[in-house]
Amino acid sequence: MMSDNRRSKTVTQGVQRSPNRALLRGVGFGDEDFDKPIVGVANAHSTITPCNIGIGALAARAEAALKAAGAMPQMFGTITISDGISMGTGGMKYSLVSREVIADSIETVCQGQSLDGVLALGGCDKNMPGAMIAIARMNIPAIFVYGGTIKPGHYQGRDLTIMSAFEAVGQYTVHKIDAQELLEIERRACPGAGSCGGMYTANTMSSIFEAMGMSLPYSSTMAAEDEEKAESAAQSAEVLVNAIKKQILPRRILTRQAFENAIAVAMAVGGSTNAVLHLLAIAHAAQVPLTIDDFETMRARAGTVRFEAVGTLCRHRSASGGRHSPSDEDIACARRVAR
Ligand SMILES: CC(C)(O)[C@@H](O)C(=O)O
């Protein structure tokens, strides 16, 4: 029978690896830990964006669950920049490049350290596809944990998102609102932790990853600050340890059909067009043939069944203008759709 530490045993077993073990003891390994699988926790926590500020707590939950499930977690950080902050500046030139930096950094640690698997956490435009590119490229047991959506802000009976702040600038410019109202919207648009609250890049990519089978069912629609999100991070850790035991590798999941499902979901929920460039890059990393023309084929083929199901969610969204953070009702609705 193959061991669960089939990769990490390269650095943990035998007399020659005594110095390696000495270093690992320095980060908390004990005598009994060198036969366990070592699992990377690629933690995109940062205080750069609301998308990432809640991720540290989720990573800690996943880390504890990995230990409880018999693995040895090793946490490391990945970078983030916010498109919402860099857009319209020279800083935006770094945005798409950051996706590759994130993918490379995850691959570098996992391959450099002979890790047995990776649990990647992300919640922003580029750390989500960046993580999935690394997962597809390395093809070691892996799971993605989404940081979760932000909750809506509230102003004069209306739900607010970051998009309300963008729109308020336009409304102020054409004298539809005054400077005070602009300020009040700015103050309330992002009330806490979580990714931009609408079908923008992060929520689109989380839905796609769930549809592809790389995140737990229903985990893409949870709010960042709710206990169920932390619970789902812990469950993801348990599922990953099982995948390591059974050697269920990402490319068995990231099939051509998985990409077709992802495209259908992106189309049906009216997701971000960024899904196109990210899915093409992830497919390339997974060695799955996918072209830009497949998106139009799938749009035409996705057909009534999927569209009717997801249409429930879309109608729900359009009833409230289609641009608000998911309310509890939306989230419940999305769950029904997912089922
Ligand atoms: C600022 C946003 C809304 O996050 C945008 O960058 C996106 O593509 O989703």
Side-chain angles (χ1 to χ4, degrees):
M1 206 178 84
M2 292 292 282
S3 55
D4 299 338
N5 61 341
R6 63 183 68 200
R7 280 167 54 89
S8 65
K9 68 182 177 192
T10 310
V11 293
T12 59
Q13 308 296 314
V15 175
Q16 298 293 330
R17 300 306 185 198
S18 180
N20 313 46
R21 287 192 295 276
L23 288 164
L24 289 169
R25 285 177 196 276
V27 296
F29 281 61
D31 291 340
E32 67 288 357
D33 294 328
F34 296 111
D35 292 326
K36 295 177 181 172
I38 305 181
V39 178
V41 177
N43 180 357
H45 177 88
S46 74
T47 55
I48 298 287
T49 72
C51 318
N52 292 60
I53 200 164
I55 286 182
L58 301 180
R61 277 292 285 271
E63 187 181 40
L66 283 166
K67 270 194 181 157
M72 281 307 286
Q74 288 204 285
M75 180 107 68
F76 60 94
T78 61
I79 61 158
T80 282
I81 67 161
S82 163
D83 283 15
I85 296 170
S86 62
M87 264 190 301
T89 76
M92 193 61 186
K93 289 183 193 152
Y94 294 85
S95 170
L96 190 52
V97 175
S98 78
R99 183 189 73 180
E100 316 308 318
V101 174
I102 293 159
D104 292 351
S105 71
I106 295 175
E107 179 182 348
T108 301
V109 176
C110 293
Q111 304 291 48
Q113 295 288 125
S114 305
L115 300 184
D116 295 298
V118 64
L119 181 147
L121 300 105
C124 206
D125 293 6
K126 302 303 183 295
N127 59 43
M128 301 180 69
M132 199 53 65
I133 287 169
I135 286 170
R137 210 153 63 190
M138 295 186 293
N139 200 32
I140 63 172
I143 195 160
F144 183 82
V145 177
Y146 179 43
T149 185
I150 198 170
K151 291 192 176 181
H154 302 287
Y155 181 60
Q156 294 184 334
R158 279 189 291 141
D159 284 350
L160 300 179
T161 72
I162 186 60
M163 223 40 73
S164 318
F166 282 115
E167 287 169 0
V169 173
Q171 289 165 336
Y172 173 76
T173 308
V174 297
H175 309 295
K176 285 195 171 162
I177 61 173
D178 61 17
Q180 189 58 36
E181 189 165 349
L182 176 67
L183 181 61
E184 297 305 334
I185 291 170
E186 175 189 312
R187 282 177 172 154
R188 292 169 171 79
C190 299
S195 302
C196 293
M199 265 305 158
Y200 312 130
T201 305
N203 280 332
T204 301
M205 296 311 293
S206 74
S207 307
I208 280 176
F209 290 171
E210 183 181 320
M212 293 175 109
M214 291 307 300
S215 292
L216 288 191
Y218 319 127
S219 65
S220 66
T221 50
M222 293 169 181
E225 294 179 330
D226 286 350
E227 172 55 24
E228 65 176 357
K229 182 70 345 235
E231 193 49 42
S232 149
Q235 282 170 9
S236 303
E238 290 161 16
V239 168
L240 174 58
V241 173
N242 193 40
I244 293 171
K245 285 187 200 309
K246 295 190 171 154
Q247 280 302 294
I248 301 169
L249 303 182
R251 287 192 203 160
R252 257 176 71 190
I253 299 167
L254 294 171
T255 57
R256 165 82 193 192
Q257 194 182 9
F259 282 93
E260 290 183 355
N261 281 341
I263 295 169
V265 165
M267 296 287 183
V269 300
S272 167
T273 51
N274 281 332
V276 178
L277 69 141
H278 296 323
L279 279 173
L280 289 173
I282 296 165
H284 180 74
Q287 299 182 357
V288 169
L290 192 76
T291 70
I292 198 161
D293 293 334
D294 290 321
F295 286 78
E296 175 53 19
T297 312
M298 278 309 296
R299 185 202 59 75
R301 211 199 314 150
T304 49
V305 177
R306 282 197 182 101
F307 277 103
E308 270 171 19
V310 184
T312 314
L313 174 61
C314 299
R315 272 197 302 281
H316 199 73
R317 289 176 69 227
S318 58
S320 33
R323 52 170 183 267
H324 63 104
S325 289
S327 64
D328 290 347
E329 211 183 335
D330 286 327
I331 289 168
C333 178
R335 294 270 162 70
R336 285 197 297 277
V337 171
R339 277 183 193 117

